[in-house]
């Protein structure tokens, strides 16, 4: 006598259509091992989007499967793979890596300033730290060289609440720049420098698409020597646009420059 509580075949039926709530939903996180029961293909999840889930087997072969209900096996048990929940978005970052201030409004500039040697220096600082400087209300100006730095500092008349930060190229022991910087002794002035001959060299070679910055023999203007060695023509202005266009975030710059600029910003915003 057959019990009326069972059908003709207790193993019959469609396992893909179990009673509601019996089949768990599992996020298709990278690395999860799943099997497609129809083809027998088994592999780890390497991608998941609205089109389906991509599995990669131990031989490196990949296949894409639709995210159907009860469409996969994990450890021999049916599951429904679903797209992983999107990670919560972190705070927006500026090019310098700092947290971007949303809805930033213009404010009156502080009396404190940051001076850099040339236009290229100013443009690079603006591209990476421009947001930070606007948040702080600090203006960057360029000098066309630092030969007259002591007189420039005297004219600025630094004092408490009116600080001056100066970014100098090639500030290394024994250089002309180091001798000029040593003449500035005001406690309200910070002269900080990087070791590069020119600000161009503070951009990582990989960002520009070269293996290394060329070594230019003494007696040859550095910029002209660089573009000649690289075969980039003879237009320094066009070359700088090419270099600046390759810089997107602080990761494209050498640490020796990053630290000095951050130091100057901290100094003038005390």
């Amino acid at each position: 006598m057959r019990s009326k509580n069972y059908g003709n075949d207790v193993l019959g039926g469609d396992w893909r259509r179990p009673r509601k709530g019996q089949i768990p939903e599992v996020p298709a996180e990278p690395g999860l091992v799943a099997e497609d029961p129809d083809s027998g293909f088994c592999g780890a999840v390497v991608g998941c989007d609205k089109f389906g889930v991509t599995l990669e087997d131990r031989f490196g072969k990949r296949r894409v499967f639709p995210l159907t209900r009860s469409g996969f096996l994990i450890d021999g048990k049916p599951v429904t793979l679903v797209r992983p929940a999107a990670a919560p978005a972190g705070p927006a970052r500026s090019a310098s890596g700092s947290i971007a201030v949303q809805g930033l409004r213009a404010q009156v500039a502080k009396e404190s300033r940051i001076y850099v040697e040339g236009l290229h220096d100013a443009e690079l600082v603006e591209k990476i730290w421009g947001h930070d400087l606007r948040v702080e209300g600090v203006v960057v100006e360029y000098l066309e060289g630092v030969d007259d730095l002591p007189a420039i500092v005297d004219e600025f008349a630094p004092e408490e609440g009116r600080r001056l930060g100066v970014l100098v190229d090639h500030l290394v022991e024994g250089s002309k720049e180091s001798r000029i910087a040593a003449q500035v002794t005001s406690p309200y002035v910070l002269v900080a420098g990087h070791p590069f001959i020119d600000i161009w060299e503070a951009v990582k070679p990989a960002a520009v698409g070269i293996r290394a910055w060329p070594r230019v023999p003494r007696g040859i203007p550095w910029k002209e020597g660089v573009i000649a060695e690289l075969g980039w023509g003879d237009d320094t202005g066009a070359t700088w646009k090419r270099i600046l266009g390759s810089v997107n975030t602080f990761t494209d710059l050498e640490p020796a420059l990053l630290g000095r600029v951050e130091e100057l910003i901290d100094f003038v915003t005390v």
Side-chain angles (χ1 to χ4, degrees), residues 119-121 123 198-200 222-228 232-246:
L119 177 60
H120 294 179
D121 306 67
E123 289 178 337
D198 188 272
I199 198 70
W200 290 14
W222 191 83
K223 288 175 179 172
E224 287 77 2
V226 164
I227 60 178
W232 286 356
D234 56 5
D235 189 335
T236 57
T239 298
W240 171 241
K241 288 182 179 179
R242 175 176 182 170
I243 295 169
L244 186 63
S246 70

Side-chain angles (χ1 to χ4, degrees), residues 84-121:
R93 298 281 176 174
S94 71
S96 71
S98 64
I99 296 177
V101 177
Q102 303 301 322
L104 178 65
R105 294 183 179 182
Q107 58 177 300
V108 177
K110 291 182 172 64
E111 290 190 59
S112 297
R113 292 286 188 274
I114 291 178
Y115 287 171
V116 297
E117 284 204 44
L119 177 60
H120 294 179
D121 306 67

Side-chain angles (χ1 to χ4, degrees), residues 9-17:
D9 184 356
V10 296
L11 299 179
D14 185 356
W15 65 272
R16 293 181 189 275
R17 296 181 179 274

Side-chain angles (χ1 to χ4, degrees), residues 18-19 23 27 49 55 72 75 103 113 140 190:
R19 288 187 301 230
I23 300 299
D49 54 30
L55 302 182
F72 298 89
D75 295 330
R113 292 286 188 274
V140 173
L190 174 63

